[in-house]
Every structure is written in structure tokens, then in C-alpha cells.
Amino acid sequence: MADDPVGAQYEAYPYPSRDPAEEKTRLVPGSPSDLWELNHHVFGGRRDMTRPLSALVAGGGTGDATIMLAQQMTDAGVPGDVVHLDPSAAGRAIAEKRAAVRGLGNVRFVAGSIEAVAAVVPGPWDYIDCCGVLHHLADPDAGLAALASVLAPDGGIGLMVYGPLGRTGVYPLQALLRRLAPATLPLPTRIAMARRVVAALPATNWFRRNPHLADHLEGGDAGLVDLLLHARDRAYPVPKLAAMVAGAGLRVTSFIEPLAYDARRLIADRVLTKGLDGLDIVASATLAEQFAGTHKQHVVYLVRAGNGVTAPDPADPAVVPVIRGMTASALATALPKSGPLRGNVSGIAVLLPLPPLARAIVERCDGQRSVAAIHADIRAELRPELEFAAFSRQFVDLWAALGGVNRMVLRYR
């Protein structure tokens, strides 16, 4: 690790900075690797959760994905283990303490690199998380190919890599800091110099003008190092990401948040979107990235190219809606009583039409009741005349809104 500048950086400043004691009061959520989210996007919502799930967190760092997934599996009674793979002893130590505070018995910690995954943790793995890691490898394409080689035939990968447009200003500033705070200086000195440079930037500088960059302000010294002083850092526009994915024999099932990559819905001008019908997922995501200009990272779910898994059908009476990121009651209260849901997607103000029964439906989304069961409840309690066909249209409209902003996913029991 001492001979590797990236490894040395993470030994000195594990990222993201986490205090294990905080595990007593909060669980850090996120994408990819939320249990029900990955079930929707990798397994089409059809994963039998009574079967053991083998999960690998490749480049687990200080443990966000590992702890989230292991805790969610524990809470849901899903058998199986989460293996946390990382070469950094400092990062692993923090993750181990976080797991210990929670009393998680379904986590195993392994020292090793992604490049050596086939030798160290060969799997096969039902699910692999690789969040914020590939873009720091010497050969990201080889890294993704290595992960694909240990993936189960019907398994999937949750991946995050940087996007260039939302990081406008980062790479010129990194180049400037390589001259003003060179790697020959001790890292604490470079951090101090970097903060002086950031404070001195004129209003014309693109980094200062980019409101979407805050890790150097909110993430402490580790955040600043990761953003501005990283030893190896690259970003991927959607087409370049898609090419890497295809080169590994994989395909994208979804981008997160879906609405942020749906060009027809993101571009409000119907004249401009007239010729956009029938775009495939990558073409739509490419246009959305170019239009918004704010995607600083891309979260995708991947499966093998030959895996024909499809997303759950919101019109299927048997599908079960699951609310993400908050309780169903809290989300129902947050929804407007009438009119559209006003949101912000990739910095763009959006209006998401909601059906009249939006609140009533969300209140009943307990992660166990199917769409048919929710309809039966609403018919018995509120609308005895409501036929399923009419209800289903309302649910599909609700799904378009809440699924688009990743507040709802679907599963089968």
C-alpha cells in the first residue's frame, strides 16, 4: 500500500469519514445497493428473499454500502453474507467498528483488491457493489471485467462512477493543485495549500461557480483529498460508461434516479422531444446528461448481457410497492393534497402529475401488500365503486412519479 499513491492516500485519510459511534443513531442510506432497490433493478423484483443472498462490496472503504445492505438483510430476515473487500486497513478498521456497534453477524471483512478478486473472493456472487472505486483504478476496464468474471449467471452489479459535466471545474483545479501543492509535499501541507487555493479562487473560476460540489466543505480533510488531491481520478460520460459496461459483457438495466436519465420527461418542451420516442436506455441517458449538465456521478445497475431480466410491471395486480428512504406515512403526508408533485431532478425543476388517490395508495404501501390488496383496501374503506382497471391506471401514474425519483420500487412476493 505504501508504494501505491491511491492506497497511501486512503490509509492516511479513509473516505468517506465516518464515526462508528453514530451507528447507534442512524443508518447511512444510498444507491446503489439498497436491498429492495437492487432486487427491483437486478432481479426484476423476483428474488426469493428466503434464499441466501451472497453479496460482495468491492472497494468497501469505510463501509457505507456494507453496513446498509447487511443491516437491511438482517431487518428483512434475508439469509446470507456481505463480504467487504478493500485493500485499506484503515478503511476496513472503521467499517469493522461500525458493524460491531450494530452487532451485525452477517459481514465478513477481507483484505484485497478488485484486480485480484477472482483469487481472493471468487464467488460466484449474486450481487456485487462497486461504488466510487473503478474510476480510481489504474485500469478500470480490467477492474470491471474482473468483477464480471465472479458474478453469478443471474446476478448483478451496482456501480457508481463519476460523471464529467457535474464535476465541471474539478479537473482544472486538480491540475492547478498538482503545481501549487505538489505530491512531493506532505499530505497535511497539501491540504492546507489546497484550502488556501480554494479560498483565493476568483468568481470566474468554474469550480467556484459550480454549486454541486461540496465534499471539500462537508467531508472534512478526507473529502477535500478525495475531491481535489486524489492520486488517480477520471470521469465517464454516459457513452464511455456504456462502452466499458459492454466490454465487460454486461448491460445496463437502469440508471438511478431513473427520471434524471429519461430525456423525454426531463426536457419539458414537447417540440424538442418529438423525435425522441423509442430511444434505448443509453441513448436517452446520454441526451439527459447533455441537457442537464449536472450529473456529477452515474449510478447504474448491471446484469450479464445475455440476462433477459425485465423490470416489474406496475400494471400487474400481484406486484408489491415498496417505499424507499422514508416511511410510507411520512411520504403520504409530504405529497400535495391535489395537483402535481414539485421536485428537483438534476437541478431541473419538474412537475410530476399525481393521481387523486396518491396519498391513499402510499399510506397503504407497507412493502407487503400487493397492488390488488391495496385496491381491495381502498375499495372497502373509501371507494366501493372503484373497479381495478381504473385503480390500476392511477397506480401506474403514481409509479411514474415516485419510481422516477426513486422513492418507490416494486417486488413480487
Side-chain angles (χ1 to χ4, degrees):
M1 291 290 290
D3 296 332
D4 174 13
V6 174
Q9 169 190 318
Y10 285 124
E11 287 295 337
Y13 291 92
Y15 179 83
S17 179
R18 296 289 184 237
D19 179 358
E22 293 181 357
E23 298 303 319
K24 297 176 181 178
T25 58
R26 63 93 177 90
L27 177 69
V28 178
S31 295
S33 303
D34 172 278
L35 178 63
W36 301 113
E37 179 184 283
L38 73 87
N39 179 48
H40 177 118
H41 296 290
V42 169
F43 301 108
R46 295 170 173 84
R47 174 83 189 180
D48 179 358
M49 292 301 184
T50 65
R51 289 173 49 207
L53 177 69
S54 62
L56 171 68
V57 180
T62 54
D64 281 3
T66 300
I67 300 302
M68 175 183 68
L69 183 53
Q71 185 66 64
Q72 289 177 338
M73 289 171 62
T74 298
D75 293 344
V78 177
D81 292 318
V82 179
V83 171
H84 177 107
L85 177 70
D86 201 284
S88 168
R92 285 198 318 277
I94 293 171
E96 288 176 1
K97 290 177 182 177
R98 294 174 69 182
V101 169
R102 289 184 170 272
L104 293 173
N106 58 346
V107 184
R108 182 160 59 93
F109 295 91
V110 178
S113 67
I114 286 175
E115 294 89 341
V117 65
V120 181
V121 282
W125 300 97
D126 298 319
Y127 177 71
I128 299 173
D129 170 283
C130 187
C131 184
V133 181
L134 284 186
H135 46 234
H136 296 316
L137 299 184
D139 188 342
D141 293 77
L144 184 56
L147 294 179
S149 75
V150 298
L151 184 66
D154 64 343
I157 297 175
L159 179 69
M160 186 278 273
V161 295
Y162 292 149
L165 298 185
R167 286 167 66 84
T168 295
V170 168
Y171 297 104
L173 184 52
Q174 285 184 357
L176 176 65
L177 289 171
R178 283 193 289 271
R179 178 65 180 84
L180 299 182
T184 53
L185 296 175
L187 197 46
T189 302
R190 296 178 67 205
I191 292 170
M193 292 292 289
R195 293 204 181 279
R196 293 181 69 91
V197 170
V198 169
L201 291 176
T204 55
N205 185 274
W206 282 108
F207 181 86
R208 182 170 175 182
R209 294 173 67 179
N210 188 339
H212 305 286
L213 302 171
D215 213 22
H216 61 300
L217 303 173
E218 301 171 358
D221 287 347
L224 182 142
V225 170
D226 198 75
L227 182 66
L228 298 178
L229 297 175
H230 207 288
R232 191 185 298 122
D233 178 354
R234 56 178 66 78
Y236 287 79
V238 167
K240 185 177 179 182
L241 169 59
M244 179 171 64
V245 167
L250 305 168
R251 70 175 179 90
V252 178
T253 62
S254 55
F255 288 82
I256 301 298
E257 300 171 341
L259 179 56
Y261 292 89
D262 187 339
R264 288 198 80 258
R265 295 177 67 192
L266 205 60
I267 303 172
D269 189 327
R270 295 303 95 182
V271 174
L272 298 178
T273 60
K274 193 174 293 184
L276 301 186
D277 290 333
L279 291 179
D280 66 32
I281 189 171
V282 171
S284 178
T286 299
L287 291 180
E289 179 186 29
Q290 293 166 343
F291 179 75
T294 54
H295 293 75
K296 63 181 181 179
Q297 62 188 38
H298 301 304
V299 174
V300 291
Y301 283 100
L302 314 173
V303 297
R304 292 190 180 278
N307 183 342
V309 65
T310 58
D313 181 2
D316 186 340
V319 80
V320 176
V322 181
I323 302 301
R324 286 195 64 256
M326 58 197 307
T327 65
S329 60
L331 177 57
T333 301
L335 294 178
K337 294 181 179 179
S338 62
L341 175 64
R342 298 177 183 273
N344 185 295
V345 177
S346 296
I348 299 171
V350 294
L351 295 177
L352 304 174
L354 294 175
L357 288 172
R359 281 190 162 197
I361 294 171
V362 170
E363 286 172 347
R364 292 163 173 80
C365 291
D366 58 4
Q368 301 297 323
R369 279 184 277 195
S370 68
V371 169
I374 293 172
H375 167 248
D377 286 349
I378 288 177
R379 192 171 184 179
E381 299 169 12
L382 301 174
R383 296 279 301 277
E385 81 289 354
L386 184 64
E387 297 296 332
F388 182 78
F391 172 81
S392 180
R393 287 192 292 272
Q394 290 207 38
F395 180 77
V396 170
D397 289 343
L398 178 64
W399 161 250
L402 298 184
V405 295
N406 203 30
R407 280 298 181 190
M408 179 187 285
V409 293
L410 306 174
R411 73 180 186 96
Y412 292 92
R413 296 187 64 180

